[in-house]
Short mmCIF file of all heavy atoms in Angstrom, two decimals:
data_model
loop_
_atom_site.label_atom_id
_atom_site.label_comp_id
_atom_site.label_asym_id
_atom_site.label_seq_id
_atom_site.Cartn_x
_atom_site.Cartn_y
_atom_site.Cartn_z
N MET A 1 14.45 190.84 14.61
CA MET A 1 14.50 189.41 15.04
C MET A 1 15.89 188.97 15.06
O MET A 1 16.36 188.26 15.95
CB MET A 1 13.69 188.60 14.11
CG MET A 1 12.24 188.66 14.62
SD MET A 1 11.23 187.43 13.81
CE MET A 1 9.51 188.02 14.20
N GLU A 2 16.58 189.39 14.05
CA GLU A 2 18.05 188.85 14.02
C GLU A 2 18.89 189.47 15.16
O GLU A 2 19.78 188.72 15.69
CB GLU A 2 18.60 189.29 12.63
CG GLU A 2 18.58 188.16 11.61
CD GLU A 2 19.19 188.64 10.22
OE1 GLU A 2 20.19 189.28 10.30
OE2 GLU A 2 18.56 188.33 9.29
N GLU A 3 18.53 190.67 15.40
CA GLU A 3 19.33 191.29 16.57
C GLU A 3 19.07 190.56 17.90
O GLU A 3 20.00 190.33 18.71
CB GLU A 3 18.74 192.76 16.72
CG GLU A 3 19.73 193.71 15.92
CD GLU A 3 19.23 195.06 16.11
OE1 GLU A 3 18.86 195.45 17.23
OE2 GLU A 3 19.17 195.84 15.13
N LYS A 4 17.91 190.10 17.99
CA LYS A 4 17.62 189.39 19.21
C LYS A 4 18.43 188.06 19.36
O LYS A 4 18.96 187.71 20.41
CB LYS A 4 16.08 188.98 19.17
CG LYS A 4 15.51 189.04 20.66
CD LYS A 4 13.99 188.56 20.70
CE LYS A 4 13.43 188.67 22.02
NZ LYS A 4 11.94 188.21 22.04
N GLU A 5 18.55 187.41 18.23
CA GLU A 5 19.30 186.16 18.28
C GLU A 5 20.82 186.44 18.61
O GLU A 5 21.39 185.75 19.29
CB GLU A 5 19.23 185.54 16.87
CG GLU A 5 17.95 184.58 16.83
CD GLU A 5 17.88 183.96 15.43
OE1 GLU A 5 18.96 183.71 14.86
OE2 GLU A 5 16.80 183.57 15.18
N LYS A 6 21.29 187.52 18.02
CA LYS A 6 22.64 187.91 18.26
C LYS A 6 22.84 188.25 19.81
O LYS A 6 23.83 187.83 20.30
CB LYS A 6 23.04 189.09 17.41
CG LYS A 6 23.63 188.75 16.06
CD LYS A 6 24.06 190.07 15.32
CE LYS A 6 24.33 189.66 13.85
NZ LYS A 6 24.54 190.98 13.16
N LYS A 7 21.89 188.90 20.28
CA LYS A 7 21.96 189.18 21.58
C LYS A 7 22.08 187.96 22.48
O LYS A 7 22.80 187.85 23.41
CB LYS A 7 20.80 190.05 22.05
CG LYS A 7 21.17 191.48 22.52
CD LYS A 7 19.96 192.21 23.07
CE LYS A 7 20.17 193.66 23.23
NZ LYS A 7 18.98 194.39 23.68
N GLU A 8 21.35 187.07 22.18
CA GLU A 8 21.21 185.85 23.02
C GLU A 8 22.58 185.12 22.86
O GLU A 8 23.03 184.40 23.84
CB GLU A 8 20.08 184.96 22.46
CG GLU A 8 18.89 185.18 23.36
CD GLU A 8 17.70 184.35 23.03
OE1 GLU A 8 17.86 183.28 22.23
OE2 GLU A 8 16.70 184.51 23.55
N GLU A 9 23.11 185.17 21.69
CA GLU A 9 24.45 184.48 21.54
C GLU A 9 25.55 185.05 22.30
O GLU A 9 26.35 184.39 22.85
CB GLU A 9 24.85 184.55 20.02
CG GLU A 9 24.69 183.20 19.35
CD GLU A 9 25.12 183.31 17.91
OE1 GLU A 9 26.32 183.16 17.71
OE2 GLU A 9 24.26 183.42 17.02
N LYS A 10 25.39 186.43 22.44
CA LYS A 10 26.48 187.14 23.22
C LYS A 10 26.27 187.11 24.77
O LYS A 10 27.10 187.45 25.44
CB LYS A 10 26.41 188.67 22.89
CG LYS A 10 27.43 188.99 21.77
CD LYS A 10 27.52 190.39 21.66
CE LYS A 10 28.60 190.85 20.58
NZ LYS A 10 28.70 192.22 20.41
N LYS A 11 25.07 186.48 25.02
CA LYS A 11 24.75 186.45 26.51
C LYS A 11 25.88 185.77 27.25
O LYS A 11 26.41 184.66 26.76
CB LYS A 11 23.50 185.65 26.64
CG LYS A 11 22.55 186.32 27.69
CD LYS A 11 21.29 185.38 27.81
CE LYS A 11 20.31 186.13 28.79
NZ LYS A 11 19.08 185.28 28.89
N HIS A 12 26.14 186.20 28.43
CA HIS A 12 27.18 185.55 29.29
C HIS A 12 26.71 184.29 29.85
O HIS A 12 25.60 184.19 30.30
CB HIS A 12 27.65 186.49 30.36
CG HIS A 12 28.44 187.72 29.88
ND1 HIS A 12 29.90 187.59 29.96
CD2 HIS A 12 28.25 188.73 29.47
CE1 HIS A 12 30.32 188.75 29.52
NE2 HIS A 12 29.36 189.51 29.15
N VAL A 13 27.51 183.31 29.89
CA VAL A 13 27.13 182.01 30.45
C VAL A 13 28.32 181.66 31.43
O VAL A 13 29.44 182.06 31.34
CB VAL A 13 26.94 181.00 29.43
CG1 VAL A 13 25.70 181.19 28.56
CG2 VAL A 13 28.14 180.77 28.59
N CYS A 14 27.91 180.92 32.39
CA CYS A 14 28.96 180.31 33.31
C CYS A 14 29.91 179.39 32.57
O CYS A 14 29.42 178.58 31.80
CB CYS A 14 28.18 179.58 34.40
SG CYS A 14 29.29 178.59 35.46
N SER A 15 31.16 179.66 32.86
CA SER A 15 32.11 178.86 32.10
C SER A 15 32.26 177.47 32.54
O SER A 15 32.95 176.62 32.11
CB SER A 15 33.56 179.55 32.20
OG SER A 15 33.86 179.77 33.43
N ILE A 16 31.69 177.20 33.67
CA ILE A 16 31.61 175.92 34.34
C ILE A 16 30.47 175.01 33.92
O ILE A 16 30.70 173.83 33.25
CB ILE A 16 31.76 175.92 35.90
CG1 ILE A 16 32.86 176.91 36.33
CG2 ILE A 16 31.89 174.56 36.52
CD1 ILE A 16 34.23 176.42 36.00
N CYS A 17 29.23 175.51 34.13
CA CYS A 17 28.09 174.67 33.87
C CYS A 17 27.40 175.18 32.56
O CYS A 17 26.57 174.49 32.02
CB CYS A 17 27.03 174.78 35.01
SG CYS A 17 26.42 176.35 35.35
N GLY A 18 27.77 176.34 32.04
CA GLY A 18 27.23 176.82 30.79
C GLY A 18 25.79 177.48 30.95
O GLY A 18 25.15 177.73 29.97
N LYS A 19 25.44 177.65 32.06
CA LYS A 19 24.05 178.25 32.35
C LYS A 19 24.22 179.73 32.23
O LYS A 19 25.29 180.28 32.63
CB LYS A 19 23.57 177.78 33.80
CG LYS A 19 22.92 176.43 33.82
CD LYS A 19 22.46 176.21 35.23
CE LYS A 19 22.08 174.82 35.33
NZ LYS A 19 21.80 174.31 36.69
N PRO A 20 23.18 180.46 31.82
CA PRO A 20 23.20 181.90 31.68
C PRO A 20 23.58 182.57 32.91
O PRO A 20 22.88 182.23 34.05
CB PRO A 20 21.75 182.23 31.18
CG PRO A 20 21.22 181.03 30.58
CD PRO A 20 21.82 179.95 31.35
N SER A 21 24.62 183.31 32.95
CA SER A 21 25.03 184.03 34.20
C SER A 21 25.77 185.32 33.71
O SER A 21 26.59 185.25 32.81
CB SER A 21 25.91 183.12 34.98
OG SER A 21 26.46 183.85 36.07
N GLU A 22 25.53 186.33 34.52
CA GLU A 22 26.34 187.61 34.31
C GLU A 22 27.74 187.46 34.68
O GLU A 22 28.64 188.08 34.19
CB GLU A 22 25.67 188.71 35.14
CG GLU A 22 24.37 189.22 34.48
CD GLU A 22 23.79 190.23 35.34
OE1 GLU A 22 24.50 190.89 36.12
OE2 GLU A 22 22.60 190.45 35.27
N LEU A 23 28.04 186.46 35.46
CA LEU A 23 29.41 186.29 35.94
C LEU A 23 30.11 185.23 35.16
O LEU A 23 29.39 184.35 34.51
CB LEU A 23 29.36 185.81 37.42
CG LEU A 23 28.61 186.70 38.33
CD1 LEU A 23 28.26 185.99 39.63
CD2 LEU A 23 29.46 187.96 38.69
N THR A 24 31.39 185.17 35.08
CA THR A 24 32.13 184.14 34.44
C THR A 24 31.80 182.84 35.06
O THR A 24 31.69 181.79 34.33
CB THR A 24 33.66 184.40 34.60
OG1 THR A 24 33.89 185.83 34.24
CG2 THR A 24 34.48 183.54 33.60
N ILE A 25 31.72 182.80 36.28
CA ILE A 25 31.34 181.60 37.01
C ILE A 25 30.22 181.87 37.95
O ILE A 25 30.22 182.84 38.66
CB ILE A 25 32.50 181.07 37.90
CG1 ILE A 25 33.71 180.65 36.91
CG2 ILE A 25 32.09 179.80 38.69
CD1 ILE A 25 34.98 180.48 37.73
N CYS A 26 29.12 181.15 37.79
CA CYS A 26 27.89 181.50 38.44
C CYS A 26 28.04 181.09 39.98
O CYS A 26 29.10 180.51 40.38
CB CYS A 26 26.72 180.70 37.89
SG CYS A 26 26.75 178.94 38.21
N HIS A 27 27.20 181.66 40.75
CA HIS A 27 27.29 181.47 42.23
C HIS A 27 27.35 180.06 42.59
O HIS A 27 28.11 179.63 43.51
CB HIS A 27 26.22 182.19 42.98
CG HIS A 27 26.38 183.66 42.90
ND1 HIS A 27 27.43 184.28 43.59
CD2 HIS A 27 25.58 184.66 42.34
CE1 HIS A 27 27.24 185.58 43.30
NE2 HIS A 27 26.25 185.91 42.67
N ALA A 28 26.48 179.19 41.94
CA ALA A 28 26.47 177.80 42.37
C ALA A 28 27.74 177.11 42.07
O ALA A 28 28.23 176.40 42.98
CB ALA A 28 25.36 177.15 41.46
N CYS A 29 28.41 177.51 40.91
CA CYS A 29 29.71 176.84 40.62
C CYS A 29 30.81 177.40 41.58
O CYS A 29 31.68 176.72 41.86
CB CYS A 29 30.02 177.10 39.20
SG CYS A 29 29.02 176.04 38.15
N GLU A 30 30.64 178.67 41.87
CA GLU A 30 31.66 179.38 42.72
C GLU A 30 31.69 178.71 44.05
O GLU A 30 32.67 178.35 44.68
CB GLU A 30 31.27 180.84 42.86
CG GLU A 30 32.49 181.78 43.32
CD GLU A 30 32.03 183.21 43.50
OE1 GLU A 30 31.50 183.41 44.58
OE2 GLU A 30 32.12 183.84 42.63
N ASP A 31 30.48 178.39 44.61
CA ASP A 31 30.43 177.75 45.88
C ASP A 31 30.97 176.31 45.76
O ASP A 31 31.76 175.85 46.60
CB ASP A 31 28.91 177.62 46.27
CG ASP A 31 28.36 178.77 46.97
OD1 ASP A 31 29.15 179.74 47.03
OD2 ASP A 31 27.14 178.89 47.19
N LYS A 32 30.69 175.63 44.65
CA LYS A 32 31.21 174.27 44.44
C LYS A 32 32.69 174.35 44.41
O LYS A 32 33.40 173.49 45.09
CB LYS A 32 30.84 173.72 43.03
CG LYS A 32 30.57 172.23 43.20
CD LYS A 32 30.04 171.77 41.88
CE LYS A 32 30.17 170.28 41.64
NZ LYS A 32 29.88 169.93 40.33
N ILE A 33 33.30 175.25 43.71
CA ILE A 33 34.67 175.33 43.53
C ILE A 33 35.34 175.69 44.82
O ILE A 33 36.39 175.15 45.30
CB ILE A 33 35.04 176.45 42.47
CG1 ILE A 33 34.80 175.82 41.09
CG2 ILE A 33 36.52 176.77 42.55
CD1 ILE A 33 34.59 176.99 40.06
N ARG A 34 34.67 176.60 45.56
CA ARG A 34 35.18 176.99 46.88
C ARG A 34 35.33 175.81 47.83
O ARG A 34 36.24 175.61 48.51
CB ARG A 34 34.30 178.09 47.38
CG ARG A 34 35.03 179.02 48.39
CD ARG A 34 34.31 180.13 48.81
NE ARG A 34 34.15 181.29 47.85
CZ ARG A 34 33.21 182.12 47.94
NH1 ARG A 34 32.38 182.19 48.74
NH2 ARG A 34 33.26 183.14 47.04
N GLY A 35 34.16 175.05 47.79
CA GLY A 35 34.11 173.87 48.60
C GLY A 35 35.24 172.89 48.34
O GLY A 35 35.83 172.41 49.16
N GLU A 36 35.45 172.66 46.97
CA GLU A 36 36.50 171.82 46.55
C GLU A 36 37.82 172.26 47.06
O GLU A 36 38.66 171.52 47.40
CB GLU A 36 36.42 171.56 45.04
CG GLU A 36 35.40 170.58 44.67
CD GLU A 36 35.30 170.50 43.10
OE1 GLU A 36 36.06 171.00 42.42
OE2 GLU A 36 34.23 170.03 42.70
N ALA A 37 38.08 173.65 46.93
CA ALA A 37 39.33 174.24 47.32
C ALA A 37 39.61 174.08 48.73
O ALA A 37 40.69 173.57 49.09
CB ALA A 37 39.29 175.57 46.90
N VAL A 38 38.49 174.20 49.52
CA VAL A 38 38.65 173.95 50.95
C VAL A 38 39.01 172.54 51.28
O VAL A 38 39.83 172.29 52.05
CB VAL A 38 37.33 174.35 51.61
CG1 VAL A 38 37.38 173.89 53.18
CG2 VAL A 38 37.11 175.86 51.53
N GLU A 39 38.44 171.62 50.53
CA GLU A 39 38.71 170.24 50.79
C GLU A 39 40.18 169.93 50.45
O GLU A 39 40.83 169.23 51.23
CB GLU A 39 37.82 169.42 49.96
CG GLU A 39 36.57 168.78 50.58
CD GLU A 39 35.71 168.03 49.71
OE1 GLU A 39 36.20 167.08 49.01
OE2 GLU A 39 34.51 168.33 49.64
N LYS A 40 40.52 170.53 49.36
CA LYS A 40 41.94 170.30 48.97
C LYS A 40 42.85 170.90 49.92
O LYS A 40 43.90 170.27 50.39
CB LYS A 40 42.20 170.97 47.65
CG LYS A 40 42.16 169.97 46.43
CD LYS A 40 42.66 170.55 45.21
CE LYS A 40 42.34 169.78 43.95
NZ LYS A 40 42.70 170.32 42.72
N LYS A 41 42.58 172.02 50.47
CA LYS A 41 43.40 172.61 51.50
C LYS A 41 43.47 171.82 52.64
O LYS A 41 44.65 171.68 53.20
CB LYS A 41 42.81 174.01 51.78
CG LYS A 41 43.77 175.07 52.10
CD LYS A 41 43.12 176.37 52.47
CE LYS A 41 44.16 177.41 52.84
NZ LYS A 41 43.53 178.58 53.32
N HIS A 42 42.41 171.27 53.09
CA HIS A 42 42.45 170.34 54.24
C HIS A 42 43.43 169.22 53.91
O HIS A 42 44.22 168.82 54.84
CB HIS A 42 41.02 169.78 54.50
CG HIS A 42 40.25 170.70 55.38
ND1 HIS A 42 40.62 170.90 56.77
CD2 HIS A 42 39.11 171.47 55.18
CE1 HIS A 42 39.65 171.75 57.17
NE2 HIS A 42 38.87 172.17 56.29
N GLU A 43 43.34 168.64 52.79
CA GLU A 43 44.15 167.46 52.48
C GLU A 43 45.62 167.86 52.54
O GLU A 43 46.47 167.24 53.04
CB GLU A 43 43.87 166.97 51.05
CG GLU A 43 42.83 165.91 51.09
CD GLU A 43 42.37 165.47 49.73
OE1 GLU A 43 43.29 165.29 48.90
OE2 GLU A 43 41.19 165.40 49.46
N ILE A 44 46.04 169.06 51.95
CA ILE A 44 47.28 169.54 51.95
C ILE A 44 47.80 169.70 53.43
O ILE A 44 48.86 169.41 53.72
CB ILE A 44 47.42 170.87 51.07
CG1 ILE A 44 47.24 170.51 49.57
CG2 ILE A 44 48.80 171.59 51.33
CD1 ILE A 44 46.87 171.63 48.72
N ASP A 45 46.87 170.39 54.09
CA ASP A 45 47.23 170.68 55.40
C ASP A 45 47.52 169.41 56.29
O ASP A 45 48.56 169.29 57.03
CB ASP A 45 46.00 171.45 56.12
CG ASP A 45 46.43 172.21 57.25
OD1 ASP A 45 47.56 172.79 57.29
OD2 ASP A 45 45.69 172.25 58.28
N LYS A 46 46.71 168.40 56.12
CA LYS A 46 46.86 167.13 56.67
C LYS A 46 48.20 166.57 56.34
O LYS A 46 48.98 166.15 57.15
CB LYS A 46 45.79 166.24 56.24
CG LYS A 46 44.96 165.70 57.43
CD LYS A 46 43.88 164.81 56.83
CE LYS A 46 42.92 164.14 57.95
NZ LYS A 46 42.02 163.22 57.44
N ALA A 47 48.39 166.46 54.94
CA ALA A 47 49.62 165.94 54.52
C ALA A 47 50.86 166.63 55.02
O ALA A 47 51.83 166.01 55.44
CB ALA A 47 49.60 165.89 53.01
N GLY A 48 50.75 167.97 55.02
CA GLY A 48 51.87 168.78 55.42
C GLY A 48 52.20 168.44 56.94
O GLY A 48 53.34 168.30 57.29
N ARG A 49 51.21 168.37 57.66
CA ARG A 49 51.42 168.05 59.08
C ARG A 49 51.98 166.74 59.31
O ARG A 49 52.95 166.59 60.08
CB ARG A 49 50.04 168.05 59.78
CG ARG A 49 49.81 169.37 60.53
CD ARG A 49 48.44 169.30 61.36
NE ARG A 49 47.72 170.58 61.14
CZ ARG A 49 46.48 170.53 61.46
NH1 ARG A 49 45.85 169.59 61.99
NH2 ARG A 49 45.84 171.67 61.24
N THR A 50 51.54 165.66 58.55
CA THR A 50 52.03 164.35 58.71
C THR A 50 53.49 164.29 58.18
O THR A 50 54.42 163.65 58.72
CB THR A 50 51.31 163.38 57.96
OG1 THR A 50 49.91 163.71 58.02
CG2 THR A 50 51.37 161.98 58.46
N ASP A 51 53.78 165.13 57.04
CA ASP A 51 55.03 164.97 56.46
C ASP A 51 56.15 165.69 57.21
O ASP A 51 57.17 165.20 57.61
CB ASP A 51 54.83 165.57 54.99
CG ASP A 51 55.99 165.17 54.07
OD1 ASP A 51 56.45 164.06 54.33
OD2 ASP A 51 56.47 166.01 53.34
N SER A 52 56.03 167.09 57.31
CA SER A 52 56.93 167.78 57.90
C SER A 52 57.09 167.72 59.35
O SER A 52 58.17 167.42 59.98
CB SER A 52 56.88 169.35 57.40
OG SER A 52 55.81 169.83 57.96
N GLY A 53 55.93 168.08 60.01
CA GLY A 53 55.88 168.05 61.45
C GLY A 53 56.78 169.21 62.13
O GLY A 53 56.87 169.14 63.30
N ARG A 54 57.18 170.15 61.40
CA ARG A 54 57.85 171.11 61.90
C ARG A 54 57.00 172.36 62.25
O ARG A 54 56.10 172.57 61.64
CB ARG A 54 59.04 171.65 60.86
CG ARG A 54 58.40 172.10 59.56
CD ARG A 54 59.30 172.78 58.66
NE ARG A 54 58.60 172.93 57.46
CZ ARG A 54 59.19 173.69 56.38
NH1 ARG A 54 60.39 174.26 56.57
NH2 ARG A 54 58.52 173.91 55.23
N ARG A 55 57.30 173.07 63.28
CA ARG A 55 56.60 174.18 63.81
C ARG A 55 57.16 174.63 65.07
O ARG A 55 57.04 173.90 65.98
CB ARG A 55 55.08 173.93 63.76
CG ARG A 55 54.32 175.04 63.32
CD ARG A 55 52.83 174.84 63.60
NE ARG A 55 52.07 175.73 62.80
CZ ARG A 55 50.74 175.80 62.80
NH1 ARG A 55 50.11 174.98 63.57
NH2 ARG A 55 50.04 176.61 62.21
ZN1 ZN B 101 27.76 177.58 36.84
#
């Protein structure tokens, strides 16, 4: 019984939402992060275009 508890403690969890996951970041959070990154990229792209205007 003790072993079982230890195993559960060692279980991997998502470092973002803390839900049990084999991955460091579960798919749900990965998607979320990816979406945010894309949004940020868009903002940077927008700002860059407005700012530099070189090309
Ligand atoms: Zn997660």
Side-chain angles (χ1 to χ4, degrees):
M1 277 193 191
E2 266 181 40
E3 265 179 45
K4 215 182 181 183
E5 270 180 30
K6 266 184 195 174
K7 245 188 190 176
E8 268 186 7
E9 252 181 83
K10 264 194 178 178
K11 221 177 182 181
H12 284 265
V13 293
C14 168
S15 59
I16 307 294
C17 65
K19 279 180 190 170
S21 169
E22 284 177 20
L23 306 159
T24 313
I25 298 168
C26 72
H27 285 297
C29 291
E30 201 181 83
D31 276 358
K32 212 181 162 189
I33 288 162
R34 207 175 282 164
E36 276 172 19
V38 169
E39 260 179 52
K40 261 190 189 177
K41 214 180 173 186
H42 271 294
E43 267 176 44
I44 289 161
D45 202 35
K46 238 184 180 179
R49 257 186 229 164
T50 321
D51 195 40
S52 64
R54 58 171 172 170
R55 218 185 196 184

